[in-house]
Amino acid sequence: MTIFSADTYICDSEKLIASSKKTAQVDNKVIYLPGTDCVVRPKVSLAGYTSYRVGGPAEWYVAPRDITALEASIRYAYEQSLPVTVLGAGSNLLVSDCGISGLVIGTRHLRHSHFEEETGLVTVAAGEAIPGLAWQAAEHGFQGFEWAVGIPGTVGGAVVMNAGAHNGCIADIFVSAEVLCEDGTLRTFTSEDLGYTYRTSKLQGGKNIVTQATFQLQPGADPAVVTATTKHHKEHRLNTQPYDKPSCGSVFRNPKPYSAGWLIEQSGLKGYQIGKAQVAPRHANFIINCGGASACDIFNLIRHIQHNVKEHWSIALEPEVKMIGNFKMA
């Protein structure tokens, strides 16, 4: 069995990779997975499933609502020799205009949460939205997750990439994660297993799927106080970052001791535009969709920024956004 998130690569063709012989036999037909209420659908547009609001179709798309349906989806991919791409909230993702071959598994319906009032342990499913979880923690009087309220992703993606903001990150509160491994078994991974560093973990680019995670927060605080702190972090994000237009959040990792936004701004690129994709005037480490942008516009703007920062500062900016599919250089 092979489970992976497809890598980005550049090509001169904008055609999808041809389907395998097995999938061709059921092309354009809805597939009902036995023993579940799960449906595999062909040629589903992914633009509505990413925060950039761009991207072509998934060759096949499925959105399981529980672990049984998730396992059935993986078995189907294995039986049909399909590569698998996992899609959470699509908030840190750029899907090419060509789309994605194989089976795309959307995890946004995998939702449940459990708060242990005495210990402060919180266990949540991979599809839970990070901002919603931050507000829930505040309502319970649990401290330690206030910083995450402005992160527009899901728990699964946050665990994989060690999401962070306001000097906090997932690694600071992470206890363990339940992971569906490529051999079909469920395993529990600890922080030591994941080898967390800045915005990455050993799960990134791997073949395993996070199904749920447990975090250690601090219980017993006044919910009103925690809510006020959470609200402050939210307002700060809204005041300093462009949330009025589609984006993926920060595009590049910060190459310490610099910030990527400062390097881009000092390179004279704030407001620079390719097609309908623009370096945000409010925050240079954001690329926004001004309306009608293509994934190709965004991709070429990313490459333009990298080239110019390299020319000005001899620093290679590393994308934080994950790019999936075939992209054509301008």
Side-chain angles (χ1 to χ4, degrees):
M1 182 184 299
T2 302
I3 304 172
F4 71 100
S5 293
D7 292 325
T8 305
Y9 52 96
I10 302 168
C11 67
D12 294 325
S13 171
E14 293 191 358
K15 295 180 180 179
L16 281 172
I17 297 172
S19 300
S20 69
K21 292 181 180 179
K22 288 185 178 180
T23 56
Q25 295 172 3
V26 291
D27 193 26
N28 294 319
K29 294 182 180 178
V30 170
I31 308 300
Y32 295 89
L33 298 181
T36 76
D37 60 355
C38 212
V39 179
V40 180
R41 303 182 185 277
K43 297 180 174 58
V44 173
S45 172
L46 295 175
Y49 293 97
T50 70
S51 58
Y52 262 133
R53 297 295 182 261
V54 301
E59 183 180 6
W60 298 95
Y61 179 83
V62 65
R65 295 180 178 273
D66 54 43
I67 188 64
T68 299
L70 175 60
E71 291 172 332
S73 301
I74 294 300
R75 283 196 301 272
Y76 175 77
Y78 174 70
E79 291 165 358
Q80 297 296 323
S81 301
L82 292 172
V84 171
T85 300
V86 179
L87 179 66
S91 59
N92 196 43
L93 194 66
L94 177 62
V95 175
S96 81
D97 298 312
C98 305
I100 303 176
S101 61
L103 180 65
V104 175
I105 299 179
T107 61
R108 63 182 62 202
H109 295 313
L110 297 176
R111 295 190 175 186
H112 65 73
S113 61
H114 176 69
F115 288 75
E116 294 186 12
E117 300 294 339
E118 294 185 0
T119 65
L121 288 173
V122 182
T123 299
V124 287
E128 287 285 348
I130 292 294
L133 181 59
W135 290 117
Q136 285 184 62
E139 291 171 1
H140 281 268
F142 282 23
Q143 294 176 307
F145 209 58
E146 299 92 323
W147 55 268
V149 68
I151 295 177
T154 58
V155 166
V159 167
V160 170
M161 71 167 289
N162 190 21
H166 305 293
N167 297 315
C169 66
I170 288 295
D172 296 338
I173 58 173
F174 181 81
V175 175
S176 64
E178 182 184 82
V179 176
L180 180 61
C181 299
E182 60 176 322
D183 62 2
T185 62
L186 281 171
R187 289 181 55 199
T188 299
F189 285 63
T190 65
S191 183
E192 290 72 22
D193 295 326
L194 299 191
Y196 276 130
T197 55
Y198 175 67
R199 298 297 181 270
T200 190
S201 76
K202 291 181 180 179
L203 287 173
Q204 200 151 17
K207 302 176 181 180
N208 303 315
I209 302 174
V210 174
T211 63
Q212 68 177 30
T214 299
F215 305 111
Q216 178 65 69
L217 302 181
Q218 302 305 313
D222 183 346
V225 172
V226 186
T227 298
T229 303
T230 304
K231 184 178 180 181
H232 171 74
H233 285 304
K234 180 66 174 180
E235 290 175 345
H236 176 77
R237 301 274 286 199
L238 291 174
N239 291 332
T240 60
Q241 298 177 2
Y243 284 97
D244 58 325
K245 291 182 174 64
S247 79
C248 75
S250 296
V251 176
F252 300 100
R253 290 183 168 91
N254 291 318
K256 295 180 180 180
Y258 303 100
S259 76
W262 185 87
L263 291 170
I264 296 166
E265 183 173 354
Q266 295 303 310
S267 299
L269 294 175
K270 185 178 268 192
Y272 186 86
Q273 192 163 331
I274 292 179
K276 293 295 184 178
Q278 182 187 45
V279 178
R282 181 177 290 186
H283 193 308
N285 197 20
F286 279 61
I287 292 176
I288 55 177
N289 180 349
C290 295
S294 67
C296 189
D297 290 339
I298 297 167
F299 175 80
N300 283 309
L301 186 51
I302 289 172
R303 292 293 183 253
H304 182 79
I305 292 168
Q306 288 176 309
H307 173 76
N308 277 266
V309 169
K310 183 72 172 179
E311 287 285 311
H312 282 85
W313 303 93
S314 298
I315 294 175
L317 287 181
E318 182 181 358
E320 187 171 309
V321 58
K322 186 167 183 62
M323 295 173 277
I324 300 181
N326 300 345
F327 290 88
K328 186 177 180 180
M329 289 288 287

